[in-house]
């Protein structure tokens, strides 16, 4: 039972860090699930996050997978509700307040500041993830190739994701 409370507390806290998206919470997700609670290894966390990227819908639904890994179906349910409910309620309340303050002179400055914070948090998440995922020259080359492909073409992002997985799988069995 204590483990379910721990899961709820961790994911409720993480939900409040998702300014700019789930990647913004990734550094703290790693810290809490890998280093503090020892629920997962870093490679396992990267695999769950990658599966969340592949699955339809919001990528942070992967928190249910982490909860299931730790405590089965009850853990999945607790993780999902704890991750969605606090942010949903906060977004609703702030959205109503934000609409009420539509003509407030500080509003544009706050929006620009929060945009910069979101970019910084997402970048921090990408750096943490990169440190764990780019573990060989082959992984680095693959990441650079996908980055270039997505930066300079209008290709559907699902294609390089699936292609990268196929390349990794083929190289694993060679």
């Amino acid at each position: 039972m204590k483990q379910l409370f721990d899961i709820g507390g961790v994911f409720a806290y993480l939900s409040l860090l998702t300014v700019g998206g789930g990647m913004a919470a990734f550094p703290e997700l790693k810290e809490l699930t890998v280093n503090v609670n020892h629920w997962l290894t870093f490679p396992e966390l990267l695999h769950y996050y990658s599966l969340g990227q592949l699955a339809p819908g919001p990528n942070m639904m992967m928190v249910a997978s982490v909860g299931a890994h730790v405590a089965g179906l009850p853990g999945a349910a607790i993780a999902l509700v704890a991750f969605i409910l606090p942010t949903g309620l906060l977004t609703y309340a702030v959205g109503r307040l934000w609409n009420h303050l539509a003509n407030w002179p500080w509003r544009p400055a706050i929006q620009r500041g929060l945009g910069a914070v979101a970019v910084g948090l997402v970048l921090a998440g990408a750096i943490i993830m990169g440190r764990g995922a780019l573990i060989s020259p082959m992984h680095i080359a693959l990441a650079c190739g996908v980055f270039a492909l997505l930066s300079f073409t209008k290709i559907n992002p699902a294609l390089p994701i699936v292609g990268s997985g196929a390349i990794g799988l083929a190289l694993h069995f060679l």
Side-chain angles (χ1 to χ4, degrees):
M1 189 58 109
K2 180 186 180 321
Q3 198 167 40
L4 292 175
F5 283 112
D6 290 345
I7 291 169
V10 164
F11 287 106
Y13 166 66
L14 288 171
S15 78
L16 300 175
L17 300 180
T18 57
V19 176
M23 179 59 83
F26 191 81
E28 192 68 6
L29 175 66
K30 176 196 176 274
E31 181 65 22
L32 294 174
T33 60
V34 174
N35 299 336
V36 174
N37 292 300
H38 308 288
W39 291 334
L40 303 166
T41 64
F42 191 33
E44 287 173 330
L45 178 62
L46 288 174
H47 290 300
Y48 282 130
Y49 191 84
S50 298
L51 288 174
Q53 294 286 37
L54 279 174
N59 65 342
M60 289 309 289
M61 294 306 239
M62 56 75 68
V63 301
S65 299
V66 175
H69 180 91
V70 176
L73 286 178
I78 296 289
L80 196 56
V81 169
F83 194 76
I84 293 173
L85 190 62
T87 302
L89 293 174
L90 183 63
T91 301
Y92 177 75
V94 170
R96 291 185 53 91
L97 176 64
W98 204 241
N99 287 337
H100 181 70
L101 298 173
N103 297 321
W104 192 39
W106 286 91
R107 185 176 161 161
I110 292 171
Q111 285 178 293
R112 285 190 304 275
L114 286 174
V117 167
V119 169
L121 289 170
V122 169
L123 183 59
I127 290 169
I128 296 293
M129 184 176 287
R131 286 182 182 159
L134 304 176
I135 55 176
S136 74
M138 186 273 298
H139 291 102
I140 294 169
L142 195 56
C144 290
V146 169
F147 179 77
L149 192 62
L150 292 174
S151 295
F152 300 113
T153 69
K154 293 183 179 184
I155 190 169
N156 182 333
L159 296 174
I161 290 171
V162 171
S164 298
I167 291 169
L169 188 62
L171 291 174
H172 177 73
F173 288 112
L174 290 179

